[in-house]
Amino acid sequence: MKKILSLTLFILSISFYYSQEQWVVTDIPLIKYEMLEKKIQEEKDVLLVLNFWSTTCAPCVKELPDFMEINNQLKSNPKFKMLLVSLDRAKDKDRVIEFMKKKNLTAEVVLLDDIKRMNTWIPKFEKNWDGNIPVTIFYKNGEKVHFNDGEMSKTELENVITKNL
């Protein structure tokens, strides 16, 4: 009886472990510009850090550990939210999910599946944005408070957040 109980507990433990692994990142939403715009407007009384990135962008990948460190420090603050907007292609969704697992991305991630309309939505975010990434835009109460074109250092990120939080 002890062996059966031990075996059952062992199987349940392994099942629980793997279910937790799968729970961490199993999918990311594919969204269009209008849905992202709506998400920004819905964040009331929040400093929203919106980072546009790609798994194939070296500066994007380089800055992500600092972004995750800051996100982990502030994620319990109800006045703070970080949203990572992947500009990878929709057909590369599985690669993005694997990247998220490997890099332990703790912020919310969405895949912006709207490449064909980039010339339409990029200027709506920032008229001076030429389409390069990484780009980080900070919103407070749905209004843009800061635009950063290019890689951000941890200090720069902390300074903008402290100023606006």
Side-chain angles (χ1 to χ4, degrees), residues 62-76:
K62 182 181 173 194
E63 74 179 2
L64 279 173
D66 290 336
F67 276 67
M68 290 309 92
E69 185 177 335
I70 302 284
N71 185 64
N72 290 337
Q73 290 171 3
L74 296 172
K75 66 183 174 187
S76 62

Side-chain angles (χ1 to χ4, degrees), residues 144-158:
K144 181 172 47 175
V145 294
H146 186 83
F147 173 79
N148 188 84
D149 189 3
E151 184 180 339
M152 285 190 88
S153 71
K154 182 179 175 187
T155 302
E156 291 170 320
L157 181 61
E158 288 173 326

Side-chain angles (χ1 to χ4, degrees), residues 87 118 122 126 128-133 135 149:
L87 297 180
M118 287 179 91
I122 285 177
E126 170 63 40
N128 295 320
W129 182 12
D130 63 7
N132 66 324
I133 52 174
V135 157
D149 189 3

Side-chain angles (χ1 to χ4, degrees), residues 127-143:
K127 65 181 177 177
N128 295 320
W129 182 12
D130 63 7
N132 66 324
I133 52 174
V135 157
T136 307
I137 307 173
F138 298 79
Y139 292 90
K140 190 156 190 174
N141 298 319
E143 297 293 322

Side-chain angles (χ1 to χ4, degrees), residues 3-15:
K3 287 182 181 181
I4 292 173
L5 183 59
S6 295
L7 183 59
T8 303
L9 286 173
F10 177 73
I11 291 170
L12 287 173
S13 296
I14 289 178
S15 297

